[in-house]
Amino acid sequence: MYSQSLFLEALSFIVRKVGYTVNEDFCFCPDLTDPDPVCHFEGVMFGQFEDEVTTTDEQCKMYIEEACKLYLEKHPNQKMLINGILDSGKF
């Protein structure tokens, strides 16, 4: 998502546990109100094409923090924006 200049947009969805998809890359969060049982799982599912991995919420939070750290190394002037997005989240 970074290579497509969508990191900040994706981050804003993922931290609110909404999920996000770009082309073949995705992040899904459980939705127990959805009638499809595929949406009923614990944690956060990440994937690309047919490959997927489900993490715990704590692992996802750790990955988000690491991704933001790496992003801020390249874009230090966006620290306040990143902090605002993280503060809006549920992790």
Side-chain angles (χ1 to χ4, degrees), residues 24 26 47-52:
E24 301 294 329
F26 63 87
Q48 186 177 47
F49 300 105
E50 301 270 331
D51 295 326
E52 61 187 46

Side-chain angles (χ1 to χ4, degrees), residues 5-25:
S5 301
L6 295 171
F7 178 77
L8 295 175
E9 183 176 320
L11 179 65
S12 69
F13 281 87
I14 294 168
V15 299
R16 291 181 287 124
K17 293 189 173 186
V18 175
Y20 194 79
T21 303
V22 176
N23 299 326
E24 301 294 329
D25 301 325

Side-chain angles (χ1 to χ4, degrees), residues 26-81:
F26 63 87
C27 171
F28 294 143
C29 298
D31 183 357
L32 301 178
T33 64
D34 193 304
D36 187 345
V38 170
C39 298
H40 305 177
F41 60 92
E42 290 187 28
V44 181
M45 184 184 305
F46 293 94
Q48 186 177 47
F49 300 105
E50 301 270 331
D51 295 326
E52 61 187 46
V53 63
T54 302
T55 68
T56 66
D57 286 346
E58 284 302 312
Q59 288 172 316
C60 182
K61 181 179 179 181
M62 182 182 68
Y63 295 142
I64 289 169
E65 290 170 353
E66 184 64 24
C68 289
K69 178 182 168 188
L70 293 171
Y71 182 85
L72 287 172
E73 287 176 4
K74 295 180 181 183
H75 308 278
N77 60 327
Q78 295 190 354
K79 185 173 183 170
M80 289 182 63
L81 181 58

Side-chain angles (χ1 to χ4, degrees), residues 76-91:
N77 60 327
Q78 295 190 354
K79 185 173 183 170
M80 289 182 63
L81 181 58
I82 291 287
N83 287 341
I85 293 171
L86 293 176
D87 288 344
S88 72
K90 297 180 180 181
F91 283 100

